Amino acid sequence: MTSTLPAAFTERMQSLLHQDFEAFLESYRKSISHGLRVNPLKIDRDAFITLSPFELESIPWCPEGFRYPDGARPGKHPYHACGLYYLQEPSAMSPAEALGAQPGERILDLCAAPGGKSTQLAAALQGEGLLIANEIHPQRARALSENLERCAVQNAVVTNETPERLMERFPLFFDRILVDAPCSGEGMFRKLPEAIEDWSPEKVTECHHMQLDILDAAARMLAPGGTLVYSTCTFAPLENEQSITTFLTRHPEFELIPLPHPEWFAPGQPAWAKPQTDDLRLTARLWPHLLEGEGHYLAKLRKKEDSQNDQEPPKRKEKRASKSLPAGRKEAIAAWQKFAVEVIPYTAKRLSDESAFLLFGDQLFYSPAPTLNWDGLKVLRVGLHLGTVKKNRFEPGHALALVLSPEEVVGHANFKADDQEVMRYLRGEALLREGEPGWTLVTVDGFSIGWGKQADGQLKNHYPKGLRWV
Ligand SMILES: C[S@@+](CC[C@H](N)C(=O)[O-])C[C@H]1O[C@@H](n2cnc3c(N)ncnc32)[C@H](O)[C@@H]1O
């Protein structure tokens, strides 16, 4: 790392870490830790170990997590475009693991973009239950949506809302909530030198207040008995031990519970917050000088089963609102069914619950929560984007391609990962190829990557324009 660390930061860390300070500072002279997390919605861990073109080293606190060496470029490999893995620095793999999402649950990832933890939570759900992945910034919400799509997630709803607005709609609704809070980003100094420029003591204070507001909203949305994980990628006690202590003072209905992997994660520091609470030892610090990772803070909390819910959730209007039932829905479903029977007859049955189809404009989605009403919320995606209803035809969505396997489609074109045709496809070029006319699933070593349409000795390219490699 070449940029100089802010003096106010190093002085504070020295006064906190004492004899460990030199080792902490030394960690900034080492290269960053590269990680990837295998996406079990596309390939299981052991199969990926066999297939991987990169050297892999297991990360102890995340079964699907691996380090890869400097110089490997997994983001530039077609397997990345197929969604076989998500690039994530190793300590950032800990919060979603700690949350312990189970298939069938209702999960909220409140500060979700660009989606590292959301894709991990979706994998834990194994397609069952509901994930709401929320991001406040519109552009970042779009990146989140694309990453969930690439990782073949079918049961996520992507919203672009403030925590407060979500809170009004979903009181006491979730089994588990992740607050991966906006923070001063001291754990990013090694990876992103811009984070050093952005940092200031005032920013630390500002983030602390923002974190408390976000946590208040999360507290209201969690069902009694539910689990909340709070995480940051900063070292400032004010944003970690102090945010949790203040939260617990404001919310006696919550208690800290121990985190897994005490052999890897150092305990939180009771002396770094006021009033001093011994339970802070149950929170965790991931230090860059004690493990290979950029650093994180984690706290796992439970909302007591018998917590007084002073405000009971309002009676939800479960009936679908008119906007979700636009004119043309029937025709859209018919167009989909015609497409599905012709192109993906084996999957058509799985995606046939009439109540799950949602039409937004000309975009057809298959909802994981058909009884929920999304009117009035900024929603980017509700479950699986099936495709676009065009005049007299249905054009399948990229998201649909990514959830399909070759056995599910009538026509597919497979290429080996090192075949130049794959690069041409990713650049958006048509491929010269003979085949049955019509929609064709393009696969790389058997893993779907997108659609093509076969006609006149060519496979026309339907890889989305915004994703094309240049
Ligand atoms: C640490 S990042 C999230 C990283 C993400 N969980 C992941 O694993 O890819 C924090 C996110 O919180 C968002 N954010 C900023 N201000 C916020 C606020 N007031 N309420 C909710 N989220 C906010 C930021 O835009 C940012 O995307």
Side-chain angles (χ1 to χ4, degrees):
M1 203 193 67
T2 49
S3 310
T4 317
L5 295 171
F9 166 73
T10 48
E11 279 158 24
R12 181 236 289 151
M13 294 315 292
Q14 186 162 23
S15 73
L16 292 173
L17 292 176
H18 309 290
Q19 70 278 15
D20 285 345
F21 177 66
E22 276 312 316
F24 175 73
L25 205 57
E26 181 59 28
S27 71
Y28 285 86
R29 290 184 203 108
K30 297 195 180 133
S31 56
I32 62 166
S33 258
H34 305 288
L36 66 77
R37 190 172 36 71
V38 176
N39 175 18
L41 297 177
K42 287 291 277 209
I43 184 170
D44 78 50
R45 176 189 188 275
D46 293 342
F48 184 74
I49 293 175
T50 310
L51 186 72
S52 175
F54 326 107
E55 235 175 82
L56 299 174
E57 187 196 328
S58 292
I59 293 172
W61 52 89
C62 177
E64 268 83 32
F66 296 92
R67 289 176 223 292
Y68 61 85
D70 256 343
R73 293 274 174 272
K76 301 266 179 235
H77 195 282
Y79 290 162
H80 184 256
C82 293
L84 299 200
Y85 46 78
Y86 188 98
L87 302 183
Q88 192 175 32
E89 83 71 20
S91 41
M93 296 176 189
S94 56
E97 282 298 320
L99 192 66
Q102 301 295 318
E105 290 182 333
R106 293 167 168 182
I107 309 288
L108 172 64
D109 187 359
L110 191 48
C111 314
K117 288 149 198 120
S118 280
T119 51
Q120 196 173 355
L121 294 169
L125 286 180
Q126 298 171 25
E128 291 168 34
L130 171 68
L131 169 68
I132 297 190
N134 180 65
E135 169 56 42
I136 197 166
H137 290 301
Q139 232 173 331
R140 289 177 63 81
R142 276 197 289 279
L144 167 67
S145 187
E146 276 173 18
N147 278 325
L148 285 162
E149 175 170 286
R150 183 175 59 79
C151 289
V153 176
Q154 302 191 45
N155 55 336
V157 176
V158 178
T159 55
N160 170 213
E161 281 298 347
T162 63
E164 293 72 23
R165 272 183 46 87
L166 279 187
M167 175 182 80
E168 285 157 19
R169 289 296 280 269
F170 296 106
L172 311 179
F173 183 78
F174 295 99
D175 299 303
R176 295 175 204 259
I177 299 181
L178 177 64
V179 173
D180 186 35
C183 69
S184 60
E186 295 165 4
M188 303 297 277
F189 286 175
R190 191 161 65 165
K191 196 171 152 195
L192 289 176
E194 320 71 284
I196 299 179
E197 307 302 314
D198 282 353
W199 186 90
S200 67
E202 294 72 35
K203 182 166 181 183
V204 170
T205 309
E206 206 179 288
C207 287
H208 168 66
H209 292 296
M210 202 190 298
Q211 289 152 1
L212 292 176
D213 290 346
I214 297 171
L215 279 168
D216 280 346
R220 176 92 178 94
M221 287 188 270
L222 195 64
T227 305
L228 171 70
V229 165
Y230 171 79
S231 58
T232 73
C233 63
T234 206
F235 304 116
L238 188 62
E239 297 179 65
N240 295 323
E241 283 86 350
Q242 190 60 60
S243 284
I244 289 302
T245 301
T246 309
F247 173 75
L248 285 169
T249 312
R250 287 188 188 177
H251 292 277
E253 74 277 20
F254 277 80
E255 60 192 351
L256 281 166
I257 52 175
L259 283 156
H261 304 300
E263 69 281 31
W264 288 101
F265 305 157
Q269 295 292 322
W272 291 357
K274 283 187 188 133
Q276 193 166 323
T277 322
D278 274 353
D279 273 3
L280 281 177
R281 292 205 157 278
L282 300 177
T283 70
R285 287 228 171 223
L286 280 67
W287 290 109
H289 57 290
L290 297 181
L291 47 72
E292 278 186 60
E294 302 306 296
H296 248 69
Y297 175 79
L298 296 181
K300 183 168 181 175
L301 302 114
R302 204 176 71 92
K303 190 171 185 177
K304 294 171 194 162
E305 204 72 66
D306 57 356
S307 57
Q308 284 287 319
N309 289 309
D310 44 344
Q311 303 141 304
E312 284 303 317
K315 292 273 170 280
R316 209 176 288 283
K317 283 192 198 136
E318 299 272 296
K319 85 177 168 51
R320 216 187 287 273
S322 56
K323 270 196 203 155
S324 307
L325 269 178
R329 180 172 178 272
K330 220 170 127 193
E331 292 75 10
I333 296 173
W336 153 258
Q337 282 166 340
K338 183 168 180 296
F339 162 85
V341 165
E342 283 168 12
V343 180
I344 48 168
Y346 319 107
T347 311
K349 242 192 237 152
R350 179 161 64 78
L351 300 172
S352 62
D353 171 5
E354 290 250 345
S355 70
F357 293 105
L358 279 188
L359 186 65
F360 290 94
D362 56 359
Q363 304 299 315
L364 190 65
F365 292 84
Y366 197 75
S367 169
T371 57
L372 289 183
N373 173 359
W374 304 101
D375 289 357
L377 289 175
K378 284 188 225 147
V379 177
L380 280 80
R381 154 185 311 267
V382 180
L384 178 61
H385 179 223
L386 297 172
T388 309
V389 187
K390 304 247 168 156
K391 213 171 176 208
N392 303 325
R393 67 192 165 89
F394 187 84
E395 197 166 296
H398 185 58
L400 178 65
L402 283 158
V403 305
L404 294 171
S405 56
E407 306 78 54
E408 292 176 281
V409 286
V410 167
H412 90 276
N414 186 48
F415 301 94
K416 284 193 180 316
D418 57 5
D419 187 331
Q420 281 311 305
E421 294 294 89
V422 176
M423 286 300 148
R424 295 189 55 212
Y425 177 74
L426 287 169
R427 287 198 296 265
E429 295 169 31
L431 308 181
L432 290 177
R433 172 187 177 274
E434 295 300 331
E436 286 296 310
W439 288 106
T440 303
L441 187 71
V442 181
T443 61
V444 175
D445 292 335
F447 300 100
S448 57
I449 195 166
W451 289 110
K453 199 167 185 186
Q454 184 70 41
D456 307 327
Q458 273 197 19
L459 188 63
K460 294 204 177 120
N461 199 308
H462 283 262
Y463 194 63
K465 288 201 170 72
L467 300 179
R468 289 180 184 174
W469 292 18
V470 281

